[in-house]
Amino acid sequence: MYCVFSEIVERKEPARIRYEDDEVIVFDNRLRWVPVMLLVMPKRHVSQEELWNSDAIAKVGKVAVEMGKQYCPGGYRILSNFGPDALQSQHHGHIHVLGGIDLGQYA
């Protein structure tokens, strides 16, 4: 099955990469609902549930916090969508870092 996130990891699709190491990659979301929308994920393709039920979530979470502090010094929100009712559009496990503006009660 085609996965645009895996294609970005393999440099087959373009993305503005903000951070990368051997296990994790961070890039700008193509959606621009708020000024900062970063996607943080393991390079290895795993589902959302697999990510959250593995040791990888600790590393992904740590990187997400670092990115939030760096790109959203006034505050940020970290979230993850599970399933179509939550607007999950990609099967590659990931978390969002949102910020750069007062997010109010909901983003």
Side-chain angles (χ1 to χ4, degrees):
M1 175 167 54
Y2 175 80
C3 173
V4 69
F5 291 170
S6 293
E7 294 289 306
I8 289 170
V9 169
E10 295 174 16
R11 303 302 197 272
K12 294 179 181 177
E13 289 284 342
R16 183 172 182 194
I17 296 171
R18 301 292 188 135
Y19 173 87
E20 183 175 17
D21 64 25
D22 291 340
E23 302 169 45
V24 176
I25 190 166
V26 179
F27 53 89
D28 288 346
N29 194 330
R30 290 181 182 166
L31 301 174
R32 302 301 303 168
W33 298 335
V34 295
V36 176
M37 288 185 69
L38 302 176
L39 298 170
V40 184
M41 69 192 67
K43 288 181 167 181
R44 185 174 65 87
H45 184 101
V46 296
S47 72
Q48 205 72 316
E49 285 188 27
E50 289 170 324
L51 171 60
W52 281 90
N53 287 309
S54 73
D55 293 338
I57 192 62
K59 174 77 183 272
V60 171
K62 179 180 179 185
V63 171
V65 168
E66 291 171 5
M67 295 294 100
K69 287 170 35 180
Q70 180 177 346
Y71 292 103
C72 310
Y76 54 94
R77 187 170 291 157
I78 294 176
L79 64 91
S80 194
N81 303 319
F82 288 78
D85 287 351
L87 300 179
Q88 180 185 356
S89 63
Q90 300 297 319
H91 294 285
H92 192 128
H94 62 285
I95 59 178
H96 299 258
V97 176
L98 306 175
I101 193 171
D102 180 351
L103 296 172
Q105 291 184 1
Y106 303 99

